[in-house]
Amino acid sequence: MSQKILVFAEQRDGQFRKPALEICSAAAELAEKHEMSLSAVLIGEGVANIAPQLAEYGISEIWAGEGEGLNRYNLENYAAILQQAVKQLSPNTIIMAASAMGKELAPYLAAKLGVGLAADLTELIVTDGKISAKRPVFAGKAFVNVAFQTEMQLFSIRPNTFPAEKRPTSANVQKLSFVLPAEGARSQVKETLRQESKRPELTEAGIIVSGGRGMGGPEKYVVIEELADLLGAAVGASRAAVDAGWRPHSDQVGQTGKTVSPNLYIACGISGAIQHLAGMSSSKFIVAINKDPEAPIFKVADYGVVGDLFTVVPAMVTELKK
Amino acid sequence: MKIYVCVKQVPDTETKVKVAEDGKSLDERDLTLILNPYCEFAVEEGLRIKEKLGGDVTLVTVGPDGAKAALRSGLAMGADSAIHLSADNARMADSFVIASLLAEQIKAGAPDLVLMGKKSVDTDMQAVPPMTAALLNLPIVTAVVEAEWNIDSAKLVREIEGGKERYEMAYPLIATIDKGLNEPRYASLKGIMQAKKKPIETKTVNLSGETLVIEKMSYPPVAQPGKIVGEGAAVAPELIRLLREEAKVIE
Ligand SMILES: Cc1cc2nc3c(=O)[nH]c(=O)nc-3n(C[C@H](O)[C@H](O)[C@H](O)COP(=O)(O)OP(=O)(O)OC[C@H]3O[C@@H](n4cnc5c(N)ncnc54)[C@H](O)[C@@H]3O)c2cc1C
Ligand SMILES: Nc1ncnc2c1ncn2[C@@H]1O[C@H](COP(=O)(O)O)[C@@H](O)[C@H]1O
């Protein structure tokens, strides 16, 4: 039987976030290479209007699950809509992003459907026309290849794993019909608070500049913020910096913080403790700036600079401004 | 308030991971095991709720015999009692199987509130809590970073990309706790002594009905030793050139 992939492309406030486009592009590549059929489902108010954007990333068949109030994410409603989409479209494979939403929704849906879930995966593997996955365990200290015991399979893909590549096709948008469950009312999001920031979100950022205990204080972060802004980067921190109260918890990278895999990670004044590496070792390029030549961070860095970050980072800024 | 906290025993975050001879499981020799850090946040939160609203805190774990140690750690922090669902091969077991066992136990105990960790740092799945919620048809909020627990409802905040979501929910509910909500207390000597006398109810369970199995466990590719570009501010131009031309990661 040929494979049928269904992608859930999440939107927030009428916009697709980068991980949604990444998984569309990855699924489209997979479908094309292995002759699988492909469709996407959207949920939200008036999402049919933004659906054609997905065709830019290679998905033609798009199902719009529209309804009033659906712009506000609600686990039970979203899961129920997806369950009904699965029933109508009968995919073998469901793909979503391992975003804040996907991390909650994917396992919930998996249990409702009674299907296996490979969460936060970093590699899709196709053997004999069947899709499976490789995913990190022990915070990246090992990887496992998983085998599904169920007919259907669900995947959530770590943001920044695949590039969001344009592969334009024509859009065929259809309305998905569904009914909402009574439970949906129990856990309404009362309010969504936006933190206005000109910087990208940590888990989605292509470049991250991170500062650790070597920063020496909260006010010193302006030094790396300037570099970050020139690069269009997000700013991260080690636990030492967060626990000292210099940066918010949401900035922490590591085993008990965020897992990130940007194209470029610049670690400034971070020693490279195993729990920090746990959160960033899947970055594609790592730069370390540390005054201690013995710092373990140099073992994982592609490029290292031994020196005082307060002179090295401003010199980088000067160079970039040239 | 009847509170259940689901906890898991995991290898210490410093542990060097060794793949066992079968090529698909963890070599458990010489492992230091700890209470999962996120579960510690959940235990702490449970104790604070009990201190505020009254009630009792019961720990639940699915794990091998040795997982009792993790229950003792939570009891030493101040939990009242514990339930040990004992199964030898539970450590890296399928999240769905674990969730099914927890769901059954939660259904039988009918707590007002179930707290869990955001994730376990061995499987890194972040899947057991939402699966448990789905099986029990209970509402859930994951990765809670701010909370106000009142007698019949809770105000919970979780982080999303570029913002936060604020929830208000009535019990019964499930919440998973993220770092930042609280600072777990250390067990006092008295706590540790008392923990030895607190009741642990043990039931042997069967792990079956897997939806996903591990076929192979491997090490990450060995990182190529990087290069030290140089020392001090003088290397900035060369570093930027390398990032542009060799790595091609900046413009
Ligand atoms: C259960 C558990 C979970 C943990 N989770 C995390 C986690 O999620 N994330 C995390 O980061 N850590 C985590 N940790 C903590 C981790 O073990 C380290 O303590 C922490 O990462 C250290 O942070 P740091 O590198 O900023 O500080 P340090 O280890 O103190 O390193 C500071 C570095 O800055 C350098 N430096 C100082 N001044 C300068 C300067 N002017 N210029 C250049 N370099 C300078 C020093 O040479 C040093 O290498 C966890 C620990 C445990 C036990
Ligand atoms: N074997 C287990 N026994 C009890 N609780 C568990 C078990 N596995 C996971 N959990 C709970 O689910 C949370 C998230 O784990 P996971 O889904 O494995 O990342 C943990 O912090 C625990 O609270």
Side-chain angles (χ1 to χ4, degrees), chain B residues 107-150:
Chain B
K107 197 167 179 185
D112 303 297
L113 174 63
V114 179
L115 298 175
M116 306 204 201
K118 177 175 87 166
K119 74 174 169 192
S120 39
V121 301
D122 51 359
T123 58
D124 283 341
M125 279 290 283
Q126 276 185 251
V128 169
M131 285 179 171
T132 310
L135 293 170
L136 289 166
N137 213 19
L138 277 177
I140 180 167
V141 181
T142 59
V144 168
V145 290
E146 290 169 38
E148 183 190 313
W149 306 99
N150 298 311

mmCIF file of all heavy atoms in Angstrom, chain B residues 107-150:
data_model
loop_
_atom_site.group_PDB
_atom_site.id
_atom_site.type_symbol
_atom_site.label_atom_id
_atom_site.label_comp_id
_atom_site.label_asym_id
_atom_site.label_seq_id
_atom_site.Cartn_x
_atom_site.Cartn_y
_atom_site.Cartn_z
ATOM 1 N N LYS B 107 -6.967 6.751 37.699
ATOM 2 C CA LYS B 107 -8.409 6.521 37.667
ATOM 3 C C LYS B 107 -8.880 5.907 38.980
ATOM 4 O O LYS B 107 -9.874 6.333 39.570
ATOM 5 C CB LYS B 107 -8.756 5.598 36.504
ATOM 6 C CG LYS B 107 -10.199 5.623 36.152
ATOM 7 C CD LYS B 107 -10.432 4.944 34.824
ATOM 8 C CE LYS B 107 -11.911 4.973 34.514
ATOM 9 N NZ LYS B 107 -12.204 4.229 33.299
ATOM 10 N N ALA B 108 -8.110 4.931 39.455
ATOM 11 C CA ALA B 108 -8.482 4.246 40.697
ATOM 12 C C ALA B 108 -8.399 5.192 41.895
ATOM 13 O O ALA B 108 -9.242 5.169 42.783
ATOM 14 C CB ALA B 108 -7.576 3.034 40.906
ATOM 15 N N GLY B 109 -7.376 6.046 41.911
ATOM 16 C CA GLY B 109 -7.170 6.928 43.066
ATOM 17 C C GLY B 109 -7.977 8.209 43.004
ATOM 18 O O GLY B 109 -8.193 8.854 44.019
ATOM 19 N N ALA B 110 -8.408 8.584 41.805
ATOM 20 C CA ALA B 110 -9.203 9.799 41.586
ATOM 21 C C ALA B 110 -8.691 11.041 42.322
ATOM 22 O O ALA B 110 -9.425 11.683 43.074
ATOM 23 C CB ALA B 110 -10.668 9.533 41.938
ATOM 24 N N PRO B 111 -7.414 11.426 42.093
ATOM 25 C CA PRO B 111 -6.910 12.658 42.716
ATOM 26 C C PRO B 111 -7.547 13.897 42.078
ATOM 27 O O PRO B 111 -8.077 13.822 40.970
ATOM 28 C CB PRO B 111 -5.410 12.615 42.395
ATOM 29 C CG PRO B 111 -5.314 11.807 41.145
ATOM 30 C CD PRO B 111 -6.399 10.776 41.236
ATOM 31 N N ASP B 112 -7.461 15.033 42.807
ATOM 32 C CA ASP B 112 -7.956 16.296 42.248
ATOM 33 C C ASP B 112 -6.955 16.853 41.250
ATOM 34 O O ASP B 112 -7.314 17.523 40.297
ATOM 35 C CB ASP B 112 -8.126 17.333 43.373
ATOM 36 C CG ASP B 112 -9.040 16.820 44.451
ATOM 37 O OD1 ASP B 112 -10.213 16.575 44.144
ATOM 38 O OD2 ASP B 112 -8.574 16.626 45.599
ATOM 39 N N LEU B 113 -5.691 16.570 41.553
ATOM 40 C CA LEU B 113 -4.634 17.176 40.751
ATOM 41 C C LEU B 113 -3.528 16.159 40.515
ATOM 42 O O LEU B 113 -3.114 15.466 41.447
ATOM 43 C CB LEU B 113 -4.078 18.388 41.515
ATOM 44 C CG LEU B 113 -2.865 19.099 40.930
ATOM 45 C CD1 LEU B 113 -3.189 19.709 39.578
ATOM 46 C CD2 LEU B 113 -2.371 20.185 41.897
ATOM 47 N N VAL B 114 -3.065 16.087 39.272
ATOM 48 C CA VAL B 114 -1.921 15.233 38.958
ATOM 49 C C VAL B 114 -0.807 16.125 38.439
ATOM 50 O O VAL B 114 -1.005 16.884 37.490
ATOM 51 C CB VAL B 114 -2.268 14.182 37.877
ATOM 52 C CG1 VAL B 114 -1.046 13.319 37.562
ATOM 53 C CG2 VAL B 114 -3.448 13.327 38.300
ATOM 54 N N LEU B 115 0.341 16.055 39.097
ATOM 55 C CA LEU B 115 1.496 16.823 38.630
ATOM 56 C C LEU B 115 2.534 15.882 38.049
ATOM 57 O O LEU B 115 2.740 14.780 38.560
ATOM 58 C CB LEU B 115 2.121 17.607 39.796
ATOM 59 C CG LEU B 115 1.238 18.646 40.470
ATOM 60 C CD1 LEU B 115 1.961 19.251 41.678
ATOM 61 C CD2 LEU B 115 0.838 19.746 39.499
ATOM 62 N N MET B 116 3.166 16.327 36.977
ATOM 63 C CA MET B 116 4.253 15.546 36.391
ATOM 64 C C MET B 116 5.357 16.510 35.989
ATOM 65 O O MET B 116 5.181 17.729 36.007
ATOM 66 C CB MET B 116 3.763 14.783 35.149
ATOM 67 C CG MET B 116 2.555 13.904 35.364
ATOM 68 S SD MET B 116 2.488 12.577 34.124
ATOM 69 C CE MET B 116 0.759 12.151 34.189
ATOM 70 N N GLY B 117 6.490 15.942 35.603
ATOM 71 C CA GLY B 117 7.586 16.773 35.111
ATOM 72 C C GLY B 117 7.339 17.131 33.657
ATOM 73 O O GLY B 117 6.580 16.460 32.965
ATOM 74 N N LYS B 118 8.010 18.182 33.168
ATOM 75 C CA LYS B 118 7.865 18.539 31.757
ATOM 76 C C LYS B 118 8.382 17.417 30.875
ATOM 77 O O LYS B 118 7.775 17.060 29.883
ATOM 78 C CB LYS B 118 8.631 19.823 31.445
ATOM 79 C CG LYS B 118 8.556 20.195 29.966
ATOM 80 C CD LYS B 118 9.197 21.534 29.649
ATOM 81 C CE LYS B 118 10.677 21.383 29.391
ATOM 82 N NZ LYS B 118 11.239 22.595 28.755
ATOM 83 N N LYS B 119 9.525 16.849 31.248
ATOM 84 C CA LYS B 119 10.036 15.718 30.473
ATOM 85 C C LYS B 119 10.953 14.873 31.332
ATOM 86 O O LYS B 119 11.434 15.331 32.367
ATOM 87 C CB LYS B 119 10.773 16.180 29.211
ATOM 88 C CG LYS B 119 12.126 16.782 29.453
ATOM 89 C CD LYS B 119 12.836 17.072 28.128
ATOM 90 C CE LYS B 119 14.076 17.908 28.375
ATOM 91 N NZ LYS B 119 14.656 18.463 27.162
ATOM 92 N N SER B 120 11.166 13.632 30.919
ATOM 93 C CA SER B 120 12.180 12.852 31.610
ATOM 94 C C SER B 120 13.457 12.957 30.797
ATOM 95 O O SER B 120 13.433 12.893 29.565
ATOM 96 C CB SER B 120 11.741 11.404 31.826
ATOM 97 O OG SER B 120 11.040 10.897 30.738
ATOM 98 N N VAL B 121 14.566 13.138 31.501
ATOM 99 C CA VAL B 121 15.806 13.464 30.810
ATOM 100 C C VAL B 121 16.538 12.225 30.269
ATOM 101 O O VAL B 121 17.653 12.324 29.813
ATOM 102 C CB VAL B 121 16.756 14.310 31.695
ATOM 103 C CG1 VAL B 121 16.103 15.612 32.109
ATOM 104 C CG2 VAL B 121 17.236 13.527 32.898
ATOM 105 N N ASP B 122 15.873 11.054 30.299
ATOM 106 C CA ASP B 122 16.469 9.895 29.622
ATOM 107 C C ASP B 122 15.819 9.678 28.249
ATOM 108 O O ASP B 122 16.465 9.758 27.219
ATOM 109 C CB ASP B 122 16.430 8.627 30.491
ATOM 110 C CG ASP B 122 15.052 8.321 31.063
ATOM 111 O OD1 ASP B 122 14.093 9.085 30.827
ATOM 112 O OD2 ASP B 122 14.935 7.291 31.756
ATOM 113 N N THR B 123 14.506 9.479 28.224
ATOM 114 C CA THR B 123 13.847 9.277 26.928
ATOM 115 C C THR B 123 13.640 10.596 26.172
ATOM 116 O O THR B 123 13.456 10.589 24.958
ATOM 117 C CB THR B 123 12.461 8.630 27.094
ATOM 118 O OG1 THR B 123 11.675 9.474 27.944
ATOM 119 C CG2 THR B 123 12.559 7.241 27.689
ATOM 120 N N ASP B 124 13.616 11.717 26.901
ATOM 121 C CA ASP B 124 13.386 13.029 26.272
ATOM 122 C C ASP B 124 12.134 13.071 25.404
ATOM 123 O O ASP B 124 12.115 13.733 24.369
ATOM 124 C CB ASP B 124 14.598 13.425 25.404
ATOM 125 C CG ASP B 124 15.763 13.928 26.241
ATOM 126 O OD1 ASP B 124 15.540 14.311 27.396
ATOM 127 O OD2 ASP B 124 16.898 13.930 25.726
ATOM 128 N N MET B 125 11.095 12.386 25.808
ATOM 129 C CA MET B 125 9.905 12.287 24.953
ATOM 130 C C MET B 125 8.888 13.409 25.178
ATOM 131 O O MET B 125 8.186 13.815 24.279
ATOM 132 C CB MET B 125 9.217 10.937 25.167
ATOM 133 C CG MET B 125 9.849 9.780 24.415
ATOM 134 S SD MET B 125 9.609 9.865 22.626
ATOM 135 C CE MET B 125 7.896 9.338 22.464
ATOM 136 N N GLN B 126 8.728 13.859 26.391
ATOM 137 C CA GLN B 126 7.660 14.803 26.727
ATOM 138 C C GLN B 126 6.306 14.273 26.254
ATOM 139 O O GLN B 126 5.507 15.010 25.665
ATOM 140 C CB GLN B 126 7.924 16.160 26.086
ATOM 141 C CG GLN B 126 8.854 17.011 26.906
ATOM 142 C CD GLN B 126 9.038 18.394 26.360
ATOM 143 O OE1 GLN B 126 10.090 18.716 25.853
ATOM 144 N NE2 GLN B 126 8.046 19.245 26.461
ATOM 145 N N ALA B 127 6.075 13.003 26.481
ATOM 146 C CA ALA B 127 4.882 12.388 25.906
ATOM 147 C C ALA B 127 3.957 11.753 26.927
ATOM 148 O O ALA B 127 2.746 11.730 26.723
ATOM 149 C CB ALA B 127 5.304 11.325 24.891
ATOM 150 N N VAL B 128 4.516 11.249 28.020
ATOM 151 C CA VAL B 128 3.685 10.522 28.974
ATOM 152 C C VAL B 128 2.525 11.365 29.522
ATOM 153 O O VAL B 128 1.385 10.897 29.546
ATOM 154 C CB VAL B 128 4.556 9.922 30.119
ATOM 155 C CG1 VAL B 128 3.703 9.404 31.261
ATOM 156 C CG2 VAL B 128 5.460 8.823 29.567
ATOM 157 N N PRO B 129 2.776 12.633 29.928
ATOM 158 C CA PRO B 129 1.647 13.389 30.505
ATOM 159 C C PRO B 129 0.475 13.637 29.539
ATOM 160 O O PRO B 129 -0.670 13.318 29.901
ATOM 161 C CB PRO B 129 2.308 14.689 30.975
ATOM 162 C CG PRO B 129 3.756 14.321 31.186
ATOM 163 C CD PRO B 129 4.066 13.316 30.120
ATOM 164 N N PRO B 130 0.731 14.155 28.321
ATOM 165 C CA PRO B 130 -0.424 14.329 27.416
ATOM 166 C C PRO B 130 -1.112 13.009 27.065
ATOM 167 O O PRO B 130 -2.335 12.972 26.902
ATOM 168 C CB PRO B 130 0.183 14.970 26.161
ATOM 169 C CG PRO B 130 1.430 15.636 26.637
ATOM 170 C CD PRO B 130 1.958 14.750 27.722
ATOM 171 N N MET B 131 -0.324 11.926 26.970
ATOM 172 C CA MET B 131 -0.943 10.632 26.679
ATOM 173 C C MET B 131 -1.845 10.202 27.831
ATOM 174 O O MET B 131 -2.943 9.700 27.617
ATOM 175 C CB MET B 131 0.141 9.568 26.442
ATOM 176 C CG MET B 131 0.805 9.698 25.089
ATOM 177 S SD MET B 131 2.078 8.450 24.862
ATOM 178 C CE MET B 131 2.460 8.702 23.120
ATOM 179 N N THR B 132 -1.369 10.421 29.053
ATOM 180 C CA THR B 132 -2.171 10.067 30.222
ATOM 181 C C THR B 132 -3.467 10.875 30.232
ATOM 182 O O THR B 132 -4.554 10.349 30.489
ATOM 183 C CB THR B 132 -1.362 10.324 31.516
ATOM 184 O OG1 THR B 132 -0.084 9.708 31.380
ATOM 185 C CG2 THR B 132 -2.071 9.770 32.732
ATOM 186 N N ALA B 133 -3.340 12.175 29.934
ATOM 187 C CA ALA B 133 -4.521 13.051 29.898
ATOM 188 C C ALA B 133 -5.519 12.563 28.854
ATOM 189 O O ALA B 133 -6.727 12.526 29.100
ATOM 190 C CB ALA B 133 -4.095 14.490 29.595
ATOM 191 N N ALA B 134 -4.994 12.181 27.685
ATOM 192 C CA ALA B 134 -5.877 11.723 26.608
ATOM 193 C C ALA B 134 -6.599 10.445 27.023
ATOM 194 O O ALA B 134 -7.801 10.298 26.784
ATOM 195 C CB ALA B 134 -5.063 11.482 25.335
ATOM 196 N N LEU B 135 -5.878 9.535 27.663
ATOM 197 C CA LEU B 135 -6.496 8.265 28.065
ATOM 198 C C LEU B 135 -7.557 8.464 29.135
ATOM 199 O O LEU B 135 -8.537 7.736 29.191
ATOM 200 C CB LEU B 135 -5.420 7.287 28.560
ATOM 201 C CG LEU B 135 -4.444 6.808 27.478
ATOM 202 C CD1 LEU B 135 -3.283 6.038 28.093
ATOM 203 C CD2 LEU B 135 -5.169 5.954 26.439
ATOM 204 N N LEU B 136 -7.332 9.464 29.993
ATOM 205 C CA LEU B 136 -8.284 9.707 31.090
ATOM 206 C C LEU B 136 -9.330 10.752 30.724
ATOM 207 O O LEU B 136 -10.234 11.030 31.515
ATOM 208 C CB LEU B 136 -7.516 10.198 32.324
ATOM 209 C CG LEU B 136 -6.661 9.164 33.034
ATOM 210 C CD1 LEU B 136 -5.714 9.844 34.003
ATOM 211 C CD2 LEU B 136 -7.544 8.150 33.762
ATOM 212 N N ASN B 137 -9.152 11.355 29.548
ATOM 213 C CA ASN B 137 -10.021 12.446 29.150
ATOM 214 C C ASN B 137 -9.999 13.586 30.173
ATOM 215 O O ASN B 137 -11.011 14.190 30.489
ATOM 216 C CB ASN B 137 -11.447 11.930 28.947
ATOM 217 C CG ASN B 137 -12.150 12.696 27.854
ATOM 218 O OD1 ASN B 137 -11.504 13.343 27.032
ATOM 219 N ND2 ASN B 137 -13.462 12.660 27.856
ATOM 220 N N LEU B 138 -8.803 13.864 30.679
ATOM 221 C CA LEU B 138 -8.631 14.956 31.638
ATOM 222 C C LEU B 138 -7.963 16.136 30.937
ATOM 223 O O LEU B 138 -7.148 15.952 30.045
ATOM 224 C CB LEU B 138 -7.708 14.517 32.780
ATOM 225 C CG LEU B 138 -8.299 13.728 33.936
ATOM 226 C CD1 LEU B 138 -7.189 13.347 34.910
ATOM 227 C CD2 LEU B 138 -9.379 14.524 34.647
ATOM 228 N N PRO B 139 -8.292 17.369 31.360
ATOM 229 C CA PRO B 139 -7.587 18.518 30.785
ATOM 230 C C PRO B 139 -6.137 18.575 31.273
ATOM 231 O O PRO B 139 -5.834 18.119 32.376
ATOM 232 C CB PRO B 139 -8.381 19.719 31.288
ATOM 233 C CG PRO B 139 -9.094 19.243 32.496
ATOM 234 C CD PRO B 139 -9.321 17.768 32.321
ATOM 235 N N ILE B 140 -5.271 19.108 30.454
ATOM 236 C CA ILE B 140 -3.850 19.182 30.815
ATOM 237 C C ILE B 140 -3.254 20.499 30.327
ATOM 238 O O ILE B 140 -3.651 21.015 29.281
ATOM 239 C CB ILE B 140 -3.072 17.987 30.214
ATOM 240 C CG1 ILE B 140 -1.577 18.073 30.584
ATOM 241 C CG2 ILE B 140 -3.226 17.897 28.690
ATOM 242 C CD1 ILE B 140 -0.790 16.799 30.299
ATOM 243 N N VAL B 141 -2.319 21.024 31.103
ATOM 244 C CA VAL B 141 -1.477 22.126 30.644
ATOM 245 C C VAL B 141 -0.038 21.684 30.867
ATOM 246 O O VAL B 141 0.310 21.240 31.961
ATOM 247 C CB VAL B 141 -1.745 23.437 31.421
ATOM 248 C CG1 VAL B 141 -0.848 24.553 30.884
ATOM 249 C CG2 VAL B 141 -3.199 23.853 31.291
ATOM 250 N N THR B 142 0.786 21.783 29.831
ATOM 251 C CA THR B 142 2.165 21.310 29.961
ATOM 252 C C THR B 142 3.138 22.477 30.099
ATOM 253 O O THR B 142 2.851 23.594 29.687
ATOM 254 C CB THR B 142 2.579 20.474 28.732
ATOM 255 O OG1 THR B 142 2.450 21.287 27.568
ATOM 256 C CG2 THR B 142 1.732 19.231 28.584
ATOM 257 N N ALA B 143 4.284 22.159 30.694
ATOM 258 C CA ALA B 143 5.400 23.109 30.826
ATOM 259 C C ALA B 143 4.972 24.404 31.514
ATOM 260 O O ALA B 143 5.224 25.506 31.025
ATOM 261 C CB ALA B 143 6.021 23.392 29.458
ATOM 262 N N VAL B 144 4.358 24.238 32.669
ATOM 263 C CA VAL B 144 3.861 25.392 33.427
ATOM 264 C C VAL B 144 5.020 26.160 34.060
ATOM 265 O O VAL B 144 5.900 25.575 34.684
ATOM 266 C CB VAL B 144 2.872 24.909 34.515
ATOM 267 C CG1 VAL B 144 2.553 26.026 35.505
ATOM 268 C CG2 VAL B 144 1.599 24.379 33.870
ATOM 269 N N VAL B 145 5.037 27.484 33.856
ATOM 270 C CA VAL B 145 6.105 28.315 34.426
ATOM 271 C C VAL B 145 5.601 29.304 35.489
ATOM 272 O O VAL B 145 6.400 29.897 36.209
ATOM 273 C CB VAL B 145 6.879 29.100 33.341
ATOM 274 C CG1 VAL B 145 7.717 28.168 32.489
ATOM 275 C CG2 VAL B 145 5.937 29.921 32.461
ATOM 276 N N GLU B 146 4.274 29.489 35.534
ATOM 277 C CA GLU B 146 3.696 30.317 36.599
ATOM 278 C C GLU B 146 2.401 29.650 37.018
ATOM 279 O O GLU B 146 1.679 29.129 36.158
ATOM 280 C CB GLU B 146 3.342 31.724 36.088
ATOM 281 C CG GLU B 146 4.530 32.607 35.771
ATOM 282 C CD GLU B 146 4.086 33.881 35.021
ATOM 283 O OE1 GLU B 146 3.017 34.441 35.349
ATOM 284 O OE2 GLU B 146 4.811 34.268 34.090
ATOM 285 N N ALA B 147 2.129 29.644 38.325
ATOM 286 C CA ALA B 147 0.906 28.986 38.778
ATOM 287 C C ALA B 147 0.342 29.638 40.023
ATOM 288 O O ALA B 147 1.088 30.086 40.897
ATOM 289 C CB ALA B 147 1.195 27.514 39.058
ATOM 290 N N GLU B 148 -0.982 29.690 40.056
ATOM 291 C CA GLU B 148 -1.670 30.110 41.279
ATOM 292 C C GLU B 148 -2.713 29.052 41.551
ATOM 293 O O GLU B 148 -3.645 28.858 40.754
ATOM 294 C CB GLU B 148 -2.312 31.481 41.060
ATOM 295 C CG GLU B 148 -2.986 32.016 42.307
ATOM 296 C CD GLU B 148 -3.815 33.269 42.003
ATOM 297 O OE1 GLU B 148 -3.310 34.173 41.307
ATOM 298 O OE2 GLU B 148 -4.969 33.307 42.450
ATOM 299 N N TRP B 149 -2.522 28.310 42.642
ATOM 300 C CA TRP B 149 -3.411 27.188 42.943
ATOM 301 C C TRP B 149 -4.462 27.626 43.950
ATOM 302 O O TRP B 149 -4.116 28.038 45.062
ATOM 303 C CB TRP B 149 -2.604 26.022 43.516
ATOM 304 C CG TRP B 149 -1.461 25.606 42.648
ATOM 305 C CD1 TRP B 149 -0.148 25.960 42.811
ATOM 306 C CD2 TRP B 149 -1.507 24.762 41.481
ATOM 307 N NE1 TRP B 149 0.623 25.390 41.820
ATOM 308 C CE2 TRP B 149 -0.179 24.656 40.995
ATOM 309 C CE3 TRP B 149 -2.534 24.093 40.810
ATOM 310 C CZ2 TRP B 149 0.144 23.906 39.866
ATOM 311 C CZ3 TRP B 149 -2.207 23.348 39.690
ATOM 312 C CH2 TRP B 149 -0.890 23.250 39.228
ATOM 313 N N ASN B 150 -5.705 27.573 43.590
ATOM 314 C CA ASN B 150 -6.777 27.890 44.529
ATOM 315 C C ASN B 150 -7.578 26.633 44.807
ATOM 316 O O ASN B 150 -7.346 25.604 44.182
ATOM 317 C CB ASN B 150 -7.639 29.009 43.965
ATOM 318 C CG ASN B 150 -6.820 30.276 43.773
ATOM 319 O OD1 ASN B 150 -6.100 30.692 44.686
ATOM 320 N ND2 ASN B 150 -6.854 30.830 42.579
#
